[in-house]
Amino acid sequence: GGEAGAGGPLHQALRERLAGGAAFFTDLLVDVGAEVHASELERALWDLVWWGEVTNDAYAPLRAQRLAVAAERPATSRSGATRAGRYARRRRTAQVQVQGRWSLTSPLLGQRAPGGSAVDARRARAELLLERYGVLTREQVLAEGLPGGFAGIYAELTQLEVLGIARRGYFVEGLGATQFALPGAVERLRERGQAGRALALPALDPAQVYGTVLRWPERAGAKAPARVAGALVTLVDGEPVLYLERGGRGLQTLVDTATAGNGGGERLELALEALATHIRSGRGPLRRLALERVDGEPATGSPLAALLRAHGFQEGPRRLTLSA
């Protein structure tokens, strides 16, 4: 933490104090030194904030800082009432600027904090990835681009297994043999092990591993889907079946519905039902679909038009719509 903006002795004293844990401003004022004026400590603290080394658990101080900057601008009126109001606002703003608890950002970023060790940083990364994915594989760690890759946190994952925090096993077929998972994630996998389970997920959701850990299914003449914000992927038994483009205007099927033997038609039915249920629930940011294209063809004349209507889509001018 002490290299981003360097600073003076007061900045370093704040870093060392916050390395021991989060603290309120009054605690910092006592611990750093009685000879330090509150305004000096506040300026040094905000230096560390702007350098990206310190954060706060509340939004009010950041908003107050913006108000303080505005209050420093020259006033357009010279009236006594305006000056009095401006000074009162400054006093209120100064109080809010130091509210909440202050802490170092390095533990949040999986970096080595002052006084910490490289092992602590690796442990933090391992726990963060387990919480993010539930089931952690070598391919997911490589996709994250962490220094040292899977080998860099393997020892910490093994230690988490010894402590009972994680389990080692082969949970996801087709990926690396060495996998770690949280106990709760393993139980969820067992609950969802029955066939026919469909789920609509954002394309960028960590649980949606296609496009990073796994390749998208290849369809002749179709471009591969993209992991972008706003897009949805519908999975059936863990395999992608539908890809809804950002904005909800284009739908792409990822299974071969013409071959009855592979269950493509049944999976497509389940995927459409899950997609329609997701949109009608209003849980996601996309509250209305206005499909104009299905597999590159006009939606109203596509082979899936009848199936889409059966799942609640309404026909309109050149599009099929569904709302929450």
Side-chain angles (χ1 to χ4, degrees):
E3 299 176 358
L10 185 52
H11 297 91
Q12 188 58 32
L14 279 170
R15 292 185 183 106
E16 292 173 359
R17 168 58 184 85
L18 291 174
F24 292 101
F25 184 78
T26 52
D27 297 327
L28 292 175
L29 194 57
V30 172
D31 296 340
V32 170
E35 70 280 0
V36 178
H37 194 273
S39 60
E40 294 179 294
L41 185 67
E42 182 182 335
R43 283 195 296 270
L45 189 61
W46 275 100
D47 284 343
L48 294 176
V49 172
W50 299 128
W51 295 339
E53 298 183 49
V54 169
T55 186
N56 193 288
D57 61 3
Y59 289 114
L62 183 58
R63 296 192 182 105
Q65 180 73 2
R66 294 180 62 187
L67 290 174
V69 172
E72 294 299 326
R73 295 171 183 164
T76 57
S77 171
R78 296 181 179 274
S79 69
T82 301
R83 287 197 300 271
R86 184 169 70 250
Y87 296 144
R89 184 174 66 221
R90 286 182 182 176
R91 287 194 297 272
R92 291 194 300 270
T93 300
Q95 294 172 357
V96 178
Q97 277 183 287
V98 294
Q99 287 181 359
R101 294 197 311 164
W102 302 90
S103 59
L104 294 177
T105 59
S106 50
L108 301 176
L109 302 174
Q111 300 169 350
R112 179 176 175 177
S117 67
V119 174
D120 293 335
R122 291 195 298 269
R123 170 66 66 83
R125 292 192 190 104
E127 293 182 353
L128 176 65
L129 290 176
L130 275 172
E131 290 290 341
R132 178 179 297 168
Y133 290 105
V135 177
L136 188 61
T137 68
R138 181 187 303 273
E139 290 81 359
Q140 286 166 322
V141 176
L142 293 176
E144 289 280 344
L146 291 182
F150 191 65
I153 61 171
Y154 182 81
E156 278 63 44
L157 290 170
T158 302
Q159 185 63 28
L160 291 175
E161 179 191 13
V162 174
L163 296 173
I165 298 174
R167 295 182 185 176
R168 188 197 313 234
Y170 188 59
F171 307 105
V172 182
E173 186 178 354
L175 298 182
T178 305
Q179 303 173 14
F180 293 87
L182 294 174
V186 175
E187 297 305 318
R188 291 286 297 276
L189 286 174
R190 287 173 177 162
E191 292 173 4
R192 295 194 173 194
Q194 64 268 38
R197 292 300 298 262
L199 183 65
L201 289 174
L204 288 177
D205 194 299
Q208 200 295 105
V209 296
Y210 288 87
T212 54
V213 177
L214 299 175
R215 290 185 177 183
W216 295 102
E218 295 183 4
R219 295 291 309 278
K223 64 177 183 179
R227 287 176 60 92
V228 295
L232 282 176
V233 179
T234 305
L235 306 165
V236 177
D237 298 335
E239 296 183 6
V241 176
L242 291 174
Y243 175 80
L244 181 68
E245 297 174 3
R246 178 169 53 190
R249 295 183 178 180
L251 185 68
Q252 184 177 343
T253 57
L254 304 175
V255 294
D256 186 3
T257 58
T259 307
N262 67 358
E266 181 184 359
R267 285 187 290 163
L268 187 59
E269 284 262 14
L270 291 168
L272 283 174
E273 182 180 356
L275 177 62
T277 300
H278 178 81
I279 297 300
R280 283 195 292 260
S281 71
R283 291 193 300 267
L286 194 59
R287 303 299 181 89
R288 183 176 184 271
L289 296 188
L291 284 180
E292 298 176 359
R293 303 175 305 279
V294 176
D295 290 332
E297 300 180 9
T300 54
S302 76
L304 294 183
L307 196 54
L308 288 166
R309 295 188 196 98
H311 285 284
F313 282 78
Q314 302 295 319
E315 187 162 357
R318 301 188 302 278
R319 66 188 64 181
L320 295 171
T321 61
L322 181 69
S323 301

